[in-house]
C-alpha cells in the first residue's frame, strides 16, 4: 500500500503552487542551444548594473573566514542600518532576503485559526507564507491594479492577525501616497500587525510617497520590510530586513534561524550602504530605462501599468503565454504573470539600454508572428 503523501500535507499546503521564479539564463541557453551571452533576462527585477565594487570587495574579504559561523546578531550591518535610517539596532530583524522576514513574521503572529489579509495582484509570497501555516488568506479585490486600501481595512475581522501591503507592489508597480497609507493605518486596530513591504522603496521618485520608517513611531503595529536584492544589487546574497518596535523585533528574533544571513551577505550589505554613488546610478538607470520601455510600448500601441518599481507590466492584448514563448525563442526572458490574475500582461524588468532595446525589437514578431511570417517567409 502506498501512501498519498499529498493528503498528509497541511491543508493549506495541499492547494499551494510553488513560487515561479524567472527562467535562468543558463536553462534557456541549454534548451535552445543559444550562447548564454546572447540572452537577455528581464524577468526577476534584478539590478542590471552588476554589483557595487565596494560590495564585491567586502564579499571577497570574507572568503578567508568561511570556516567560521557568521555573526548571528549581524552587529555591523544593524549598526550601519540604524545609523543610516535613524532607528535603534533593536528595531531591526535581518533575514535571508526579505522573503525570509515575511515568513518569520507570518510564523510569529499567525496560525491555523488566523486570517491574513492581502490584495489581489499582490506579491505572491504573502499567500505562500500564509497557506504554509494553514492560516486563512483573505485576498481583497484590487483597484486599478493597485490595492483597495479601504476594502482591505474593511476585510479585517477579529480573526485577522496580519495585513500585507506592498508599496510599490510587484508585479503591478502601483504605489499609494503617504496620505492614503496613513489613513489606512489609522483604520487598522492596533492588535492587527501591518506589514508594509518596501522592497522597491529606493526607486521612488518625487514627493508624497510614504517612508515606512517615519511611520513607525505613530503606528506601533507597523512592520516595514526592505531588501538589498533590488536597488542595492545583491539579489544572489539573500539579505533583507524588517524595522519595527523593539518588542516586535524581539518576537521575530525568537523565530528566525540563528544564522539566517551568511557572512558574505552581511559584509557586502554593510559595505554597499556606503556606496551612495552606486545607488544614484541604479536609480538613474532605472528612471531612464522605464521611460525607454514606456515609449517603446506606446509606439507599439501597448497599454502598460505606470510603475514606481524597476519593472513594468505591459498588456500584450491577448493571452500572454504565447508572446512569452516567442520572446524566449528570440533569447529574451520576461515574466508571465497569469498566476497573479493578469493573464494578458507580461512583467518586464528594467534592463540596460541595450537590453531594453532587444526586448522592444523582439516584441513585434512575438506579438504578430503571422504578419511577420508573411513579410519574411
Ligand atoms: C523582490 C521582492 C521582495 C524580496 O525579495 P528578497 O530577495 O527576498 O529580499 C519582497 N517583496 C516584494 C514585493 C518583492 O518584489
Amino acid at each position: 500500500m502506498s501512501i498519498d503523501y499529498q493528503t498528509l500535507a497541511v491543508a493549506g499546503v495541499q492547494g499551494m503552487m510553488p513560487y515561479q521564479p524567472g527562467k535562468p539564463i543558463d536553462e534557456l541557453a541549454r534548451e535552445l542551444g543559444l550562447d548564454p551571452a546572447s540572452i537577455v533576462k528581464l524577468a526577476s527585477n534584478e539590478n542590471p548594473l552588476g554589483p557595487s565594487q565596494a560590495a564585491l570587495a567586502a564579499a571577497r574579504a570574507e572568503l578567508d573566514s568561511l570556516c567560521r559561523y557568521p555573526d548571528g546578531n549581524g552587529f555591523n550591518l544593524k549598526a550601519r542600518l540604524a545609523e543610516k535610517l535613524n532607528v535603534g539596532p533593536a528595531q531591526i530583524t535581518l533575514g535571508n532576503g526579505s522573503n525570509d522576514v515575511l515568513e518569520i513574521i507570518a510564523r510569529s503572529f499567525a496560525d491555523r485559526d488566523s486570517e491574513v489579509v492581502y490584495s489581489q495582484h499582490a506579491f505572491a509570497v504573502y499567500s505562500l507564507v500564509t497557506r504554509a501555516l494553514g492560516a486563512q488568506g483573505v485576498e481583497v479585490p484590487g483597484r486599478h491594479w493597485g490595492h483597495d486600501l479601504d476594502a482591505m481595512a474593511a476585510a479585517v475581522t477579529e480573526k485577522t492577525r496580519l495585513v500585507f501591503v506592498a508599496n510599490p507592489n510587484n508585479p503591478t508597480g502601483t504605489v499609494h501616497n503617504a496620505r492614503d497609507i496613513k489613513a489606512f493605518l489609522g483604520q487598522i486596530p492596533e492588535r492587527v500587525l501591518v506589514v508594509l513591504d518596501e522592497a522597491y522603496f529606493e526607486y521612488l521618485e518625487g514627493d508624497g510617497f510614504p517612508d515606512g520608517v517615519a511611520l513607525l513611531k505613530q503606528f506601533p503595529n507597523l512592520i516595514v520590510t526592505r531588501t538589498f536584492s533590488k536597488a542595492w544589487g545583491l539579489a544572489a546574497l539573500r539579505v533583507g530586513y524588517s524595522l519595527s518596535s523593539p518588542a516586535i523585533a524581539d518576537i521575530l528574533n525568537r523565530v528566525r534561524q540563528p544564522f539566517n544571513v551568511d557572512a558574505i551577505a552581511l559584509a557586502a550589505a554593510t559595505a554597499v550602504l556606503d556606496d551612495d554613488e552606486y545607488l544614484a546610478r541604479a536609480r538613474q538607470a532605472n528612471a531612464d530605462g522605464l521611460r525607454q520601455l514606456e515609449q517603446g510600448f506606446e509606439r507599439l500601441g501597448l497599454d502598460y501599468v505606470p510603475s514606481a518599481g524597476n519593472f513594468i507590466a505591459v498588456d500584450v492584448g491577448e493571452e500572454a503565454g504565447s508572446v512569452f514563448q516567442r520572446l524566449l525563442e528570440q533569447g529574451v526572458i520576461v515574466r508571465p504573470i497569469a498566476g497573479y490574475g493578469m493573464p494578458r500582461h507580461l512583467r518586464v524588468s528594467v534592463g540596460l539600454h541595450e537590453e531594453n532595446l532587444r526586448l522592444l525589437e523582439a516584441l513585434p514578431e512575438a506579438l504578430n508572428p503571422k504578419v511577420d511570417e508573411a513579410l519574411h517567409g
Side-chain angles (χ1 to χ4, degrees):
M1 283 288 278
S2 69
I3 298 175
D4 179 2
Y5 288 98
Q6 170 83 11
T7 63
L8 298 184
V10 173
V13 174
Q14 290 186 30
M16 270 167 79
M17 298 291 277
Y19 181 81
Q20 294 283 345
K23 200 178 187 68
I25 289 177
D26 285 339
E27 188 179 307
L28 182 65
R30 277 196 303 276
E31 286 172 10
L32 297 184
L34 293 173
D35 174 6
S38 74
I39 292 174
V40 169
K41 183 185 176 203
L42 302 174
S44 300
N45 301 350
E46 294 151 341
N47 190 323
L49 296 180
S52 134
Q53 290 302 315
L56 270 183
R60 286 199 187 98
E62 277 307 307
L63 295 178
D64 289 334
S65 313
L66 289 191
C67 54
R68 305 283 177 200
Y69 277 97
D71 174 5
N73 289 318
F75 180 87
N76 291 331
L77 177 55
K78 283 192 195 175
R80 187 68 192 89
L81 275 173
E83 183 184 27
K84 194 152 178 141
L85 300 173
N86 199 17
V87 298
Q91 295 182 258
I92 303 171
T93 307
L94 300 178
N96 195 250
S98 57
N99 271 291
D100 184 32
V101 187
L102 296 172
E103 185 180 11
I104 293 167
I105 294 167
R107 284 168 54 215
S108 301
F109 291 102
D111 64 19
R112 283 164 169 267
D113 301 321
S114 313
E115 291 175 358
V116 176
V117 174
Y118 43 81
S119 175
Q120 182 188 22
H121 315 304
F123 188 46
V125 167
Y126 312 146
S127 143
L128 288 176
V129 298
T130 299
R131 295 169 83 161
L133 289 167
Q136 184 64 45
V138 178
E139 185 182 292
V140 176
R143 203 164 155 262
H144 308 311
W145 302 115
H147 296 23
D148 184 339
L149 293 172
D150 289 335
M152 289 178 75
V156 169
T157 71
E158 57 294 2
K159 286 185 157 183
T160 307
R161 293 288 173 274
L162 272 179
V163 181
F164 285 104
V165 173
N167 205 55
N169 182 45
N170 168 19
T172 58
T174 49
V175 65
H176 294 277
N177 65 31
R179 189 177 31 114
D180 292 350
I181 291 288
K182 271 194 228 170
F184 167 76
L185 289 167
Q187 290 182 71
I188 306 296
E190 250 182 62
R191 58 170 180 81
V192 176
L193 293 170
V194 178
V195 180
L196 190 61
D197 181 345
E198 295 189 331
Y200 301 95
F201 176 79
E202 293 84 357
Y203 288 112
L204 288 177
E205 285 194 88
D207 301 328
F209 298 115
D211 173 348
V213 179
L215 298 173
L216 287 170
K217 283 203 184 81
Q218 198 180 343
F219 300 101
N221 55 336
L222 179 61
I223 306 177
V224 177
T225 60
R226 294 194 183 165
T227 182
F228 287 91
S229 298
K230 309 283 163 53
W232 293 108
L234 296 175
L237 290 181
R238 316 303 306 123
V239 47
Y241 57 96
S242 71
L243 305 157
S244 65
S245 69
I248 291 175
D250 174 59
I251 298 286
L252 302 180
N253 265 308
R254 296 179 203 180
V255 173
R256 78 174 172 87
Q257 287 186 28
F259 301 105
N260 60 336
V261 184
D262 75 62
I264 297 174
L266 287 172
T270 308
V272 84
L273 285 175
D274 287 327
D275 197 347
D276 292 330
E277 190 267 339
Y278 177 82
L279 185 68
R281 257 194 314 131
R283 287 166 52 100
Q284 187 61 52
N286 191 62
D288 294 345
L290 257 185
R291 215 165 310 124
Q292 180 191 3
L293 287 170
E294 287 172 355
Q295 289 169 358
F297 295 152
E298 281 160 21
R299 274 197 299 276
L300 293 167
L302 299 176
D303 275 341
Y304 56 84
V305 186
S307 174
N310 66 343
F311 56 88
I312 183 165
V314 60
D315 182 343
V316 296
E318 56 179 295
E319 292 284 315
S322 47
V323 179
F324 167 67
Q325 280 302 329
R326 292 192 291 263
L327 285 171
L328 285 182
E329 287 157 18
Q330 298 178 76
V332 178
I333 311 173
V334 296
R335 188 75 152 269
I337 47 177
Y340 287 86
M342 302 175 75
R344 286 162 45 114
H345 286 80
L346 290 172
R347 193 194 66 192
V348 177
S349 304
V350 176
L352 300 174
H353 186 84
E354 292 305 310
E355 297 173 322
N356 301 330
L357 203 58
R358 272 281 304 278
L359 167 84
L360 292 172
E361 289 176 354
L363 262 175
E365 184 176 327
L367 289 166
N368 212 340
K370 287 184 211 80
V371 172
D372 206 73
E373 235 168 74
L375 283 175
H376 302 287

